[in-house]
Structure formats: structure tokens, C-alpha cells
């Protein structure tokens, strides 16, 4: 679903991403791990269109999308979430979901004045879709709460719900478990697994919680110093001496 070829992202003399070539398989959950400063978030930002790469290519579903902006990639079905949720804090949870689909007729002043029936019909369709997402995520009871009043974990669920409003090809998750209590994290992980298994969503996730990585991910890519260090299952990368030295620490070596 995603392929990068010799990807570089330099900031002055800093090579945050330094020749990364990798593949994210269609319909799988891929983990991206590494120490702080390894280049993980920068890689996400380049692939998702927030930074234009210094060199190299990015392919989405076989199409060269190098240098496309975030909103252009959004329209092609590539979405990303953030470690700190970016909700519309003064809108309700349902309204946050309803904001996602693009090209709504109500966005045009002419339609709002002279085609009100069309606008209202589309809004009803989007509201039904939002309610289905709320039901899927088991947060129907939060529909009318202001998003700014949600807990950190609830905001992560809301971000996941927003990705569901356009049926994306691939979703990049940035530390979905950070700041989420264990009970709510189970709801988040169950939703990710269901979206992958039942709807075929492709996920790539940055995460420091190796238990969560092991639970969710089919394969794991390890980065260090802007490069891919190794790739394999969660168990394999935890046993790799290079990973231990760069990131995990000797205490996690299994006999």
C-alpha cells in the first residue's frame, strides 16, 4: 500500500530521514519503532505530505505521490493521526465526525441559499454515517459532549472515528496508546483490530509500548539515526542485538 524508495528529509545539516526504503503491506498492521530522534515522526510527516522530501520517492497504492500535500493525500485515502489529538474543541463529538467528509454542498454559499434541500439531505446522510461510527466505537453516549472536554483516550478514539468517515486506504497512527488508560486502550486496540480485519484498513503505527506492538502488528520496522535498522515480527526485533543496543536495552533479551 505504501512504498518509499531512498527517502531523505534533511533540516540543514540534520538528516532526520536518511535513505529510507520500506514497504507497508496492504491490509496489514505495521509497527514503526525506534529511540527518540530516530526519524519516525519525520518519516510519517513526509509520507503524509506535511513535509516535502529532500530526495527519494513515495508511492501510495502504486501511484507516485511524492511531494503531494496533506490535503491532496487525504483525498486519495491516506490519513494520519497525531500523538496529541487535533480535535475541534468547541464542537461536539458528532460534529467533529461530520466535519470530515469533503465536498459537502453546504460549503458553497450558493447551495446554502438556493439549494437548502440538497444541503439538508447530505447533512442527514453524514449524520447517519457519524452515528454508525459512534456505535462502532461504542461511544454513542458521547455524541453531544464537547470534544474539548474529552479525556486523552477518548480523543484518540475520536481521531480514529474521524478516519472512518472517509473509508481510507491507509491510516498512520502516531502513539495511539500514549496517555490512554488501560481500560480505554483495550477499546482503542479492539477498534483497530476490527477495522483491519472486517474492513481491510491498512495501518502503520508509531508506538513505544512493545506489548501493544506485539498485540497488534503483523510486522515491525525499527528505525535508528534516520535509517531502517531491521524489520520482522515483534518477537524477532526484540531479540535482534542491533535493536537491543539502539533502543530496547539488554534487560529485554530473552534467553
Amino acid at each position: 500500500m505504501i512504498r518509499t524508495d531512498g527517502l531523505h528529509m534533511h533540516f540543514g545539516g540534520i538528516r532526520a530521514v536518511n535513505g529510507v526504503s520500506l514497504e507497508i503491506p496492504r491490509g496489514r498492521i505495521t509497527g514503526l519503532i525506534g529511540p527518540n530522534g530516530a526519524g519516525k515522526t519525520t518519516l510519517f510527516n513526509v509520507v503524509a505530505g506535511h513535509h516535502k522530501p529532500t530526495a527519494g520517492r513515495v508511492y501510495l497504492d502504486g501511484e507516485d505521490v511524492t511531494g503531494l500535500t496533506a490535503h491532496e493525500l487525504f483525498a486519495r485515502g491516506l490519513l494520519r493521526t497525531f500523538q496529541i489529538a487535533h480535535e475541534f474543541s468547541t464542537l461536539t463529538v458528532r460534529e467533529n465526525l461530520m466535519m470530515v467528509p469533503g465536498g459537502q454542498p453546504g460549503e458553497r454559499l450558493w447551495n446554502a441559499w438556493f439549494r437548502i434541500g440538497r444541503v439538508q439531505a447530505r447533512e442527514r446522510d453524514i449524520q447517519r454515517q457519524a452515528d454508525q461510527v459512534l456505535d462502532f466505537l461504542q461511544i454513542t453516549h458521547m455524541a453531544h459532549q464537547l470534544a474539548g472536554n474529552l479525556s486523552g483516550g477518548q480523543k484518540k478514539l475520536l481521531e480514529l472515528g474521524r478516519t472512518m468517515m472517509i473509508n481510507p486506504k491507509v491510516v498512520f497512527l502516531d502513539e495511539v496508546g500514549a496517555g490512554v488508560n488501560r481500560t480505554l486502550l483495550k477499546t482503542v486496540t479492539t477498534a483497530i483490530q476490527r477495522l483491519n480485519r472486517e474492513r481491510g484498513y491498512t495501518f502503520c503505527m508509531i508506538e513505544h509500548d512493545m506489548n501493544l506492538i506485539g498485540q497488534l502488528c503483523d510486522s515491525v520496522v525499527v528505525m535508528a539515526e534516520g535509517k531502517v535498522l531491521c524489520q520482522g515480527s515483534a518477537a524477532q526485533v526484540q531479540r535482534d542485538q542491533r535493536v537491543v543496543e539502539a533502543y530496547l536495552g539488554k534487560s529485554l533479551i530473552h534467553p
Side-chain angles (χ1 to χ4, degrees), residues 157-217:
L157 268 177
L158 175 56
E159 284 220 323
L160 190 60
R162 282 166 34 172
T163 70
M164 295 173 62
M165 291 297 293
I166 68 162
N167 195 28
K169 290 182 177 180
V170 57
V171 179
F172 284 74
L173 302 172
D174 194 347
E175 297 200 39
V176 69
V180 182
N181 69 60
R182 306 312 295 182
T183 300
L184 195 53
L185 183 59
K186 183 176 180 180
T187 303
V188 174
T189 55
T190 298
I192 292 171
Q193 290 171 322
R194 287 187 61 198
L195 289 170
N196 174 248
R197 295 170 183 170
E198 299 174 16
R199 304 193 182 188
Y201 280 29
T202 300
F203 287 102
C204 182
M205 57 187 297
I206 293 174
E207 186 54 61
H208 288 291
D209 185 334
M210 287 303 297
N211 290 328
L212 187 59
I213 286 287
Q215 178 184 350
L216 287 175
C217 297

Side-chain angles (χ1 to χ4, degrees), residues 49-230:
H50 296 278
H51 297 318
K52 186 175 182 179
T54 304
R57 315 303 300 175
V58 179
Y59 299 89
L60 168 63
D61 201 13
E63 177 187 4
D64 189 342
V65 294
T66 309
L68 294 187
T69 63
H71 76 270
E72 290 171 327
L73 290 169
F74 175 89
R76 286 168 169 78
L78 189 156
L79 281 73
R80 70 155 297 178
T81 67
F82 294 86
Q83 182 179 355
I84 300 175
H86 291 177
E87 77 284 352
F88 296 100
S89 60
T90 59
L91 299 181
T92 67
V93 169
R94 176 190 280 161
E95 288 167 343
N96 265 265
L97 296 177
M98 294 179 66
M99 288 284 291
V100 175
Q104 298 186 38
E107 295 173 358
R108 295 181 176 273
L109 187 60
W110 175 269
N111 291 335
W113 282 351
F114 300 109
R115 295 178 179 175
I116 188 63
R118 178 185 175 190
V119 171
Q120 291 174 338
R122 177 60 176 147
E123 286 186 352
R124 286 193 295 270
D125 289 341
I126 293 174
Q127 181 173 318
R128 280 193 292 268
Q129 183 184 356
D131 288 341
Q132 290 170 359
V133 169
L134 292 169
D135 182 63
F136 183 96
L137 296 175
Q138 302 177 36
I139 54 173
T140 301
H141 60 285
M142 293 162 41
H144 302 293
Q145 294 185 38
L146 294 180
N149 294 337
L150 302 182
S151 70
Q154 290 170 333
K155 289 179 181 180
K156 294 291 180 70
L157 268 177
L158 175 56
E159 284 220 323
L160 190 60
R162 282 166 34 172
T163 70
M164 295 173 62
M165 291 297 293
I166 68 162
N167 195 28
K169 290 182 177 180
V170 57
V171 179
F172 284 74
L173 302 172
D174 194 347
E175 297 200 39
V176 69
V180 182
N181 69 60
R182 306 312 295 182
T183 300
L184 195 53
L185 183 59
K186 183 176 180 180
T187 303
V188 174
T189 55
T190 298
I192 292 171
Q193 290 171 322
R194 287 187 61 198
L195 289 170
N196 174 248
R197 295 170 183 170
E198 299 174 16
R199 304 193 182 188
Y201 280 29
T202 300
F203 287 102
C204 182
M205 57 187 297
I206 293 174
E207 186 54 61
H208 288 291
D209 185 334
M210 287 303 297
N211 290 328
L212 187 59
I213 286 287
Q215 178 184 350
L216 287 175
C217 297
D218 303 295
S219 64
V220 181
V221 177
V222 184
M223 287 187 67
E225 298 180 348
K227 300 179 180 180
V228 172
L229 188 63
C230 68

